[in-house]
Amino acid sequence: MGESLQLSFADLYNAVSKYAGNYGSSGATGTDLTEAKDMVNAAYRRLLGSYNWTFLTPTRQIVTVSGTWRYELPIDFVRIKGTFRYSSADAYPPLRERAYEQIEEMRAISDSTGYPSHYAIVAGEHTPETGQRWLVSFYPAPDAAYTLYYSPEIWPVKLSNDSDLHVGGPDISEVLKELAIAQAEGDLDEMTEEGQVHEKKAMQLLAAAVMKDNQKRAKNLGYNYDENAGGIVDISREYRLNEVNLVDF
């Protein structure tokens, strides 16, 4: 296989070091190296927060364990978009969101098990080492192993190893590199009469990347209604999705 065009963490901080003039014969070292790495990660945070990128909403899954009703979500989880859903083969309706207190109340009324129909996301443990974690609670507690799919918004971890690759693939590499150099340009206060040259170039590349990312979005979003708000059809637990008849109210 050929080598990817995506830039690694080392490629990015070396580009910053070369711009800053402290690359040397074998790259930056010491404080210069630390500062170059910090500039790259500052640019990375700026890139991630600049737009609602499609690559920050992957599709993931949770496989439940019989009798277990609470699960810790991955460390990069920010929030869920949409809801948890079963595969078409299972044909159960999508889960409905509830406040965590409501899940607790339902469990107090009945601790029965079955296929989960409701969920709540609540803050979990926070530590300085791992940061804020999030938990998802299901009701009723699963009575078997169910595969639940969901689309979270994520916040990737910082780049640290030389071979680390940023999210978004090669489409984003040049944007991130130019943002990192623009970060150095600003930190080093290297402004010309025309302003910050690399900042302007970074904004041009960012605008082009946003347009390209928009092309990856669905052109038809389908019927627009909030399944957590009730809708026109309420699906009872006694029926699977493919057995439901529409009812006029």
Side-chain angles (χ1 to χ4, degrees):
M1 289 182 63
E3 188 175 352
S4 172
L5 289 173
Q6 183 169 351
L7 299 179
S8 68
F9 185 38
D11 294 329
L12 293 166
Y13 70 67
N14 282 334
V16 171
S17 297
K18 290 175 182 177
Y19 172 80
N22 52 35
Y23 185 75
S25 59
S26 57
T29 58
T31 302
D32 291 335
L33 177 59
T34 299
E35 289 179 351
K37 291 181 176 180
D38 288 344
M39 290 176 186
V40 170
N41 274 308
Y44 196 28
R45 288 189 294 271
R46 183 181 178 189
L47 173 71
L48 297 176
S50 65
Y51 178 66
N52 184 26
W53 302 102
T54 57
F55 52 77
L56 293 182
T57 309
T59 295
R60 291 180 174 170
Q61 62 184 50
I62 290 179
V63 179
T64 63
V65 176
S66 179
T68 301
W69 64 286
R70 293 211 317 186
Y71 299 82
E72 190 172 60
L73 293 165
I75 192 170
D76 60 358
F77 177 88
V78 176
R79 62 183 62 84
I80 190 171
K81 292 191 173 183
T83 185
F84 289 89
R85 55 198 181 276
Y86 294 90
S87 70
S88 57
D90 289 331
Y92 294 116
L95 277 65
R96 296 187 176 218
E97 184 177 18
R98 292 293 181 265
Y100 178 74
E101 292 76 13
Q102 290 178 289
I103 297 292
E104 290 279 22
E105 289 174 3
M106 289 189 286
R107 283 179 52 80
I109 295 172
S110 173
D111 61 356
S112 62
T113 61
Y115 70 86
S117 58
H118 297 81
Y119 78 93
I121 292 177
V122 65
E125 189 68 24
H126 171 273
T127 66
E129 295 77 21
T130 62
Q132 181 66 58
R133 301 302 297 264
W134 295 90
L135 304 172
V136 59
S137 301
F138 296 119
Y139 182 83
D143 61 352
Y146 297 99
T147 300
L148 295 170
Y149 298 90
Y150 67 108
S151 297
E153 180 181 332
I154 64 170
W155 191 265
V157 298
K158 69 184 293 186
L159 302 171
S160 57
N161 300 312
D162 286 356
S163 59
D164 284 354
L165 299 175
H166 58 80
V167 295
D171 284 350
I172 301 300
S173 283
E174 287 301 318
V175 186
L176 181 53
K177 184 179 80 170
E178 201 60 34
L179 282 170
I181 295 174
Q183 182 72 33
E185 183 179 51
D187 288 356
L188 298 173
D189 197 24
E190 294 191 351
M191 294 183 64
T192 66
E193 293 181 359
E194 294 78 22
Q196 292 180 284
V197 176
H198 288 279
E199 175 69 18
K200 291 180 179 179
K201 184 178 179 181
M203 292 300 97
Q204 293 171 349
L205 290 172
L206 181 60
V210 167
M211 290 181 63
K212 194 168 186 179
D213 191 69
N214 265 326
Q215 295 173 2
K216 300 174 183 177
R217 299 184 186 279
K219 302 300 184 293
N220 188 339
L221 300 180
Y223 180 64
N224 184 22
Y225 82 102
D226 183 358
E227 59 194 7
N228 286 323
I232 60 170
V233 179
D234 192 17
I235 300 175
S236 170
R237 288 187 57 83
E238 284 75 26
Y239 297 94
R240 289 189 171 216
L241 189 60
N242 54 8
E243 297 170 343
V244 171
N245 294 320
L246 293 176
V247 177
D248 293 328
F249 287 88

